[in-house]
Amino acid sequence: MARNAEKAMTTLARWRAAQVGDEPNKQERRPYLASECNDLPKAEKWRMQIIREIAKKVAQIQNAGLGEFRIRDLNDEINKLLREKGHWEVQIKDLGGPDYRRVGPRMLDHEGREVPGNRGYKYFGAAKELPGVRELFEQEPPVPPRKTRGELMKDIDADYYGYRDDDDGLLLPLEEIAEKKAREKAVSEWKAKKEQSLEGESSKADEEQEENIYAVAGESDSSDEDDSDQSKSERAHQPRFIAHVPVPSQKEVEQALLERRKQELLEKYASESLVKQSKEASDMLGMRN
């Protein structure tokens, strides 16, 4: 029989002792709040544990056959782990560790693209194809680039200026029909106006005729020459006026009004010497002011 000291030195005994010594580490659980951990190495360990869990769930969510409800649950769990990882990174920075939020790698999906969303809710794998989520990832078509003036000038030809619009033979018949209708309409309007003018010609002529207030008996010969186109009956009905005093003509009246206006302007704006010189010049020339 071997002694107890020899039994303790066997390989099985040493392995059993190592297992018993590691049991407290196995039973150690991650703290619910990151602020409860004040040890930097442990905080680093819990952060790496969360990253492994995230990677495992991201690999699971790629399977579209899991069903809509399971995919939504997995996506919620991943987002929850991402928030927890952020809390641990803040705690690591407070403990004097590196700032993983600034220097850490970006979150990528299975296709190598960055996961959309910076601080909000993120979608992974098959969750992007769920009803109501697909529309969030549909990008609007890009705005077509604006053409330059040179590119626009390349498309300008004879058709742009309308030089070959009549070559198809469709416009000319329509223009002929419209022209015929317009011509008939104009002719009918002209005939109607012609009939109205013939009916009211006599009355309009009497209304539009002007009376010559300066007519005298001595001017009958000149009036006969001017009214040679009038009939004898119309001249017989025209009234005659006999002037007992010389009546100035219309031109003389206008000349007198013009001279009077000039005199008023001279008296208003010119000096007395200038007015006097003007009168002397008029007397010398034999002109009446």
Side-chain angles (χ1 to χ4, degrees):
M1 297 294 293
R3 298 178 182 180
N4 293 334
E6 293 176 354
K7 290 180 180 179
M9 293 302 294
T10 61
T11 304
L12 181 60
R14 291 197 303 269
W15 180 82
R16 178 60 183 168
Q19 291 293 329
V20 173
D22 291 342
E23 282 182 2
N25 294 334
K26 281 189 174 181
Q27 294 177 357
E28 187 178 3
R29 300 181 60 182
R30 184 170 70 241
Y32 183 75
L33 297 177
S35 58
E36 296 177 357
C37 179
N38 296 322
D39 189 4
L40 181 60
K42 287 186 178 181
E44 294 276 2
K45 183 182 73 171
W46 299 134
R47 177 180 175 275
M48 291 303 299
Q49 184 182 10
I50 293 172
I51 291 175
R52 286 192 293 269
E53 292 179 7
I54 291 174
K56 182 179 178 180
K57 293 183 181 295
V58 168
Q60 293 177 0
I61 204 173
Q62 307 302 326
N63 185 8
L66 295 176
E68 179 181 349
F69 299 103
R70 179 56 182 162
I71 291 174
R72 290 186 184 274
D73 291 341
L74 279 174
N75 202 77
D76 292 339
E77 293 173 4
I78 293 172
N79 280 273
K80 182 179 178 181
L81 289 172
L82 286 174
R83 289 194 297 270
E84 187 176 356
K85 183 174 75 71
H87 297 328
W88 282 105
E89 289 175 351
V90 172
Q91 182 66 13
I92 289 171
K93 183 181 177 182
D94 294 340
L95 294 175
D99 188 1
Y100 289 105
R101 291 189 168 220
R102 177 172 296 181
V103 300
R106 296 180 179 179
M107 181 64 64
L108 305 177
D109 58 5
H110 69 289
E111 297 179 357
R113 296 177 300 182
E114 186 177 1
V115 177
N118 187 14
R119 298 182 180 178
Y121 193 86
K122 299 179 176 64
Y123 294 93
F124 299 85
K128 296 179 182 180
E129 303 299 329
L130 294 176
V133 181
R134 188 184 302 108
E135 291 77 5
L136 299 176
F137 294 91
E138 292 180 354
Q139 297 181 356
E140 296 182 359
V143 180
R146 187 175 181 181
K147 292 185 178 181
T148 61
R149 185 180 294 273
E151 293 175 351
L152 293 174
M153 294 298 293
K154 291 180 181 178
D155 299 332
I156 294 178
D157 52 5
D159 293 333
Y160 177 81
Y161 294 101
Y163 290 149
R164 293 184 292 190
D165 290 347
D166 301 338
D167 294 349
D168 53 1
L170 299 177
L171 188 61
L172 292 177
L174 298 176
E175 289 181 350
E176 291 178 358
I177 295 173
E179 184 179 357
K180 185 177 180 181
K181 291 181 179 179
R183 190 184 300 111
E184 293 176 354
K185 182 179 179 181
V187 170
S188 60
E189 291 178 356
W190 179 81
K191 289 182 178 179
K193 290 181 180 179
K194 187 68 174 177
E195 292 177 358
Q196 293 178 0
S197 62
L198 290 175
E199 292 176 357
E201 184 177 0
S202 59
S203 59
K204 289 181 180 179
D206 294 339
E207 293 176 358
E208 294 176 358
Q209 185 177 7
E210 285 190 10
E211 295 182 358
N212 189 3
I213 60 174
Y214 301 111
V216 293
E219 296 179 355
S220 60
D221 295 339
S222 60
S223 63
D224 291 342
E225 292 178 0
D226 295 338
D227 300 336
S228 59
D229 56 341
Q230 296 181 357
S231 61
K232 295 181 179 180
S233 59
E234 292 179 353
R235 286 183 296 186
H237 291 290
Q238 287 182 355
R240 292 190 176 184
F241 298 93
I242 300 174
H244 300 282
V245 294
V247 179
S249 64
Q250 188 171 358
K251 185 177 292 186
E252 294 175 352
V253 173
E254 293 176 356
Q255 186 67 25
L257 292 175
L258 181 61
E259 294 294 337
R260 183 178 178 182
R261 183 60 178 169
K262 287 182 180 180
Q263 186 66 25
E264 291 177 356
L265 292 174
L266 284 173
E267 293 176 356
K268 184 176 182 181
Y269 297 105
S271 59
E272 296 180 359
S273 60
L274 184 60
V275 173
K276 186 176 180 181
Q277 292 177 3
S278 177
K279 288 182 178 180
E280 293 177 356
S282 300
D283 295 338
M284 293 176 64
L285 295 175
M287 297 173 59
R288 292 183 61 187
N289 293 331

